[in-house]
């Protein structure tokens, strides 16, 4: 914890799921994919803003994903009009509050993924488990392997052709210099197409990676500690208590919840309370 932090300050984190998104309404898994709030989701965000007023929210921080930011901005706009603050509430965002990256399952219909339901029953106990990584990655690897197999078959066929020749012709072929085309292919670097696909595969591996419960839980906790330090450092209030509305996602919040209690998947704009003091997060229960 930063030495600037006021150890006597208690921070209440009201962690809530975003309003319903279009993907939610269609029954599609989102992960890191973008999907705006549905009309119902906008109404839910407006109702959440009323609760935020009752909680006396001083700050709002959300995931960087659009549906969470949209929910946060609806809440901030209402609070800035309805409550007198020394400073207007300006929502902040961070990728550390994002949803779990779901790899190959992102954008797929929940009802058609038996593997997802199995994963969902195990992932909060076997916290190292991860969803399968992107299908694009798998397909790219298959294409690279296909190119390698084609080259191997070409070499085998060439060898068989040599072996089928009559002895004199075979000896002449083997003793003669290799054709320019073949020698050039052997001495040259990997084909451009294969090299490009390998590079593409490496980029995908470095940029897209599904996440375990352990990974999501750790970054969520880090985000809350960072928010605590920032709010304590920048607040002009002399109050010993601060109330922060945090807008995140269903599975990500369940990952964090599993650190304290049996996790449940929160409905849109439902939430949970955590308190933070002296560098420690404590469970405060579910909030409607």
């Amino acid at each position: 914890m930063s030495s600037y932090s006021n150890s006597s300050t208690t921070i209440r984190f009201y962690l809530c799921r975003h309003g319903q998104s279009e993907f939610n309404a269609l029954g599609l898994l989102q992960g890191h994919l973008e999907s705006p709030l549905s009309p119902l989701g906008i109404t839910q965000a407006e109702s959440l803003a009323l609760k935020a007023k009752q909680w006396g929210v001083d700050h709002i921080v959300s995931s960087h994903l659009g549906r969470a930011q949209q929910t946060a901005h609806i809440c901030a706009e209402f609070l800035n009009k309805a409550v007198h603050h020394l400073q207007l509430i300006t929502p902040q965002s961070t990728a550390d509050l994002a949803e779990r990256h779901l790899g190959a399952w992102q954008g797929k219909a929940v009802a058609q993924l038996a593997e997802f339901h199995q994963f969902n029953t195990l992932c909060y106990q076997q916290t190292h488990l991860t969803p399968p990584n992107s299908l694009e990655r798998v397909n790219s690897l298959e294409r690279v392997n296909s190119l390698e197999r084609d080259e191997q078959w070409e070499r085998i066929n060439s060898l068989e052709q040599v072996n089928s020749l009559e002895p004199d012709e075979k000896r002449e072929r083997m003793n003669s210099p290799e054709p320019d085309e073949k020698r050039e292919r052997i001495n040259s670097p990997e084909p451009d197409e294969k090299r490009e696909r390998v590079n593409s595969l490496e980029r995908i591996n470095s940029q897209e990676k599904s996440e375990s419960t352990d990974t999501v839980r750790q970054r969520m906790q880090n985000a809350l500690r960072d928010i605590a330090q920032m709010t304590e450092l920048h607040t002009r209030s002399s109050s010993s208590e601060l109330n922060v509305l945090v807008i995140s996602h269903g599975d990500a919040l369940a990952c964090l919840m599993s650190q304290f209690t049996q996790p449940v998947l929160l409905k849109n704009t439902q939430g949970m309370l955590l308190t933070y003091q002296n560098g420690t997060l404590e469970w405060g229960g579910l909030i409607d």
Side-chain angles (χ1 to χ4, degrees):
M1 185 113 177
S2 168
S3 60
Y4 292 103
S5 298
N6 179 2
S7 60
S8 65
T9 301
T10 298
I11 299 177
R12 291 190 182 90
F13 287 115
Y14 294 88
L15 295 113
C16 297
R17 187 181 176 188
H18 58 81
Q20 184 195 64
S21 69
E22 296 288 356
F23 270 32
N24 289 153
L26 294 171
L28 302 177
L29 289 172
Q30 296 172 104
H32 283 203
L33 299 182
E34 291 288 7
S35 174
L37 296 186
S38 67
L40 174 59
I42 293 173
T43 300
Q44 291 172 333
E46 291 169 346
S47 297
L48 179 59
L50 290 171
K51 296 176 185 177
K53 178 183 177 182
Q54 296 173 352
W55 298 332
V57 165
D58 305 293
H59 303 273
I60 300 178
V61 185
S62 76
S63 156
H64 73 301
L65 295 171
R67 54 195 181 273
Q69 289 200 61
Q70 192 177 355
T71 303
H73 281 280
I74 289 172
C75 291
E77 183 177 1
F78 172 82
L79 290 175
N80 285 332
K81 291 179 180 178
V83 181
H84 175 70
H85 291 279
L86 294 177
Q87 286 184 315
L88 292 178
I89 294 177
T90 303
Q92 306 296 314
S93 65
T94 172
D96 284 340
L97 294 172
E99 181 60 292
R100 184 201 301 265
H101 194 298
L102 293 171
W105 292 335
Q106 295 189 157
K108 302 294 191 299
V110 178
Q112 298 175 3
L113 287 173
E115 300 91 344
F116 170 74
H117 295 288
Q118 184 179 19
F119 172 82
N120 223 26
T121 62
L122 298 173
C123 65
Y124 304 117
Q125 290 77 40
Q126 300 179 35
T127 55
H128 64 285
L129 297 177
T130 60
N133 283 315
S134 173
L135 290 176
E136 182 181 352
R137 197 179 315 172
V138 175
N139 293 336
S140 292
L141 181 58
E142 289 177 350
R143 288 194 294 270
V144 170
N145 291 335
S146 176
L147 285 167
E148 291 176 343
R149 287 194 297 270
D150 290 346
E151 290 177 358
Q152 289 172 354
W153 278 115
E154 184 178 345
R155 287 195 293 270
I156 290 171
N157 291 333
S158 177
L159 182 60
E160 288 177 348
Q161 290 171 3
V162 170
N163 289 335
S164 67
L165 297 172
E166 294 296 328
D168 292 343
E169 186 179 357
K170 177 179 178 181
R171 187 164 52 251
E172 180 182 352
R173 174 77 65 86
M174 294 182 69
N175 291 334
S176 65
E178 293 181 335
D180 291 342
E181 182 180 356
K182 183 176 181 182
R183 187 165 58 246
E184 181 180 345
R185 186 167 62 247
I186 293 174
N187 295 332
S188 67
E190 293 182 323
D192 290 343
E193 183 181 2
K194 179 180 177 182
R195 190 162 58 246
E196 181 180 347
R197 293 187 186 281
V198 170
N199 292 338
S200 175
L201 178 60
E202 291 175 348
R203 286 195 297 271
I204 293 168
N205 282 333
S206 65
Q207 294 173 3
E208 295 185 10
K209 190 173 183 181
S210 61
E211 294 179 293
S212 68
T213 295
D214 282 332
T215 299
V216 178
R217 181 194 292 165
Q218 187 60 55
R219 63 170 167 78
M220 292 282 285
Q221 289 179 333
N222 290 341
L224 295 183
R225 292 191 172 94
D226 289 344
I227 294 167
Q229 292 181 27
M230 290 176 60
T231 53
E232 289 178 348
L233 184 61
H234 294 104
T235 185
R236 296 183 179 180
S237 172
S238 59
S239 172
S240 60
E241 296 183 352
L242 293 171
N243 299 306
V244 181
L245 176 61
V246 176
I247 308 296
S248 187
H249 307 265
D251 192 9
L253 290 170
C255 290
L256 180 60
M257 193 187 306
S258 68
Q259 180 71 28
F260 305 95
T261 187
Q262 180 66 30
V264 296
L265 184 63
L266 298 170
K267 296 180 181 179
N268 293 110
T269 65
Q270 286 185 330
M272 62 188 193
L273 176 65
L274 294 180
T275 58
Y276 179 90
Q277 188 174 36
N278 297 326
T280 302
L281 286 166
E282 294 185 1
W283 176 249
L286 296 175
I287 52 178
D288 188 7

